[in-house]
Amino acid sequence: MSRTFPTSVDVVIVGSGPCGAAYARVLSERAPQATLLTLEVGPQLADPPGGHVKNILDEQARSAAQRASEGPAPLSADTPTDTMDGYADEAPRMARPGTWLLPAGYRQPGEDGLPNAAMSSNVGGMGAHWTGACPRPGEGERIAFLADLDELLTEGERLLAVDDHAFDDAPFADEVRKRLADHLDADRAEDRRVGPMPLAVTRHADGRLTWSGSDVVYGDVTRANPRHTLLPEALVTRVLLTDGRASGVRVRDLQTGQEHDVAARYVVVAADSLRTPQLLWASGVRPHALGRYLNDQPQTVYAVRLRDVGHADQEDVDPRGRSSIVAQSGVSWVPYTDQHPFHGQVMQLDASPVPLAADDVPTPGTIVGLGWFCAKDLQDSDRLEFDETAPDPYGMPGIQVHYRLTEADHASIAAATAAVKEVAAALGDPLGGEPFTFGPGASLHIQGTVRMGETPDGTSVCGPTSEVWDVPGLHVAGNGVIPTPIACNPTLTSVALAVAGARSIAGSLSERN
């Protein structure tokens, strides 16, 4: 079937992940007169668009959605749909369902590289596959020059439908948090104490849990907006510039191969932390900081069995009895502090992330997985480079990753490993040997490549409203905008920053109209 690409709109949004969806939502609410076009390189997986694949109950249909998200290199058809399957294996590169790895250029000689850096290509972006964790940044993670950060985070929580208490009735959840708090809370500020993990999930009246994807961020107001168009399988190859200002995009229809130029008053590039700087570079927008301060979160995991607890009644409390798509039976949060510069995600698992004996069937909620994320030692030299002579599978400039773990990073990983072991001892009996640290990129929390700054001093790509320095009308969005070395899951923060950018565009559109 043929489809129509408009010749002109008010705002083009490149990418349909949570941040691209946040721009569409805020603009639909605040500038309903504006014409909006969202372009997504991957296919639409569900209706409504952008839904989370965990909400697909049929395993075959879920697998098909994951394969369709894996861009130019889909995994084999028999790949397990459970993202926890093989979660802690020691493979040098981890290909997770619904994502695809850089085929080349992920490590340079003598460097650590990002062998596990992954992307997804589908309507909803990584928001169709993520774990839904939405903690707020604190202390040194916060962006000091944003006075309204807390209000923006609150708005981000609204768009993502964040729930602080989705799994409060999980077996032994209170006991897990009590043991964590007894061990960790004594020297913490009140807002940095152990608590339930804020999750982007919705609990329905019948007990079902559904995960927030971009569909939730879009909301009814965007879906009902007759001035918003979403076109999947559309590759944006260039941001068009006129007299130094963003004036539209060039897009290739992947269904037909035809190219179209779409004029726009504003362009928002919300591809991801790898492909957003790639598109800017391909468009001739190349500030010094573009692709630099590349930031992954080193991640160390461990597992324990709770000691000295009774048996839970699985029929009454096991979340699998209410929803076949929820693998966790409780998620707790150990917030980052400057004194303890790690972010802890503590999951009570229905299946251990380390191998169990064949006859070892755990009582629901008694197997606890610990994941400690470290803040990266930010370096200008950790960067992406782009090579037009070695194009990627989409024909865009090939990505070359330069990335090293510094001495400070290795010290941080060692401290996180020690902290995980101490916490594990407070909870129960370890399963397996020593804690396991994933290879670089495995967190999928890549940041910094189009980072925000307070002033155009050469260390940032965009300003506080995410507008690119010296390129009026061009905004960037996603985890790559985050300028601080945060250790917590970044999605809530990046959506909050997208809210600020969308409000800025909405205000300008209203003034011009």
Side-chain angles (χ1 to χ4, degrees), residues 245-257:
R245 179 182 177 87
S247 58
V249 297
R250 180 161 296 154
V251 54
R252 181 181 306 134
D253 185 348
L254 296 183
Q255 294 183 1
T256 67

Side-chain angles (χ1 to χ4, degrees), residues 103-153:
Y106 53 84
R107 182 191 292 120
Q108 308 308 314
E111 300 180 358
D112 296 289
L114 289 177
N116 296 296
M119 298 160 280
S120 59
S121 294
N122 54 271
V123 172
M126 199 68 81
H129 311 281
W130 68 317
T131 62
C134 288
R136 287 194 174 209
E139 299 187 10
E141 295 178 305
R142 291 174 61 85
I143 304 169
F145 57 81
L146 292 182
D148 58 348
L149 179 60
D150 287 318
E151 189 274 327
L152 294 172
L153 291 167

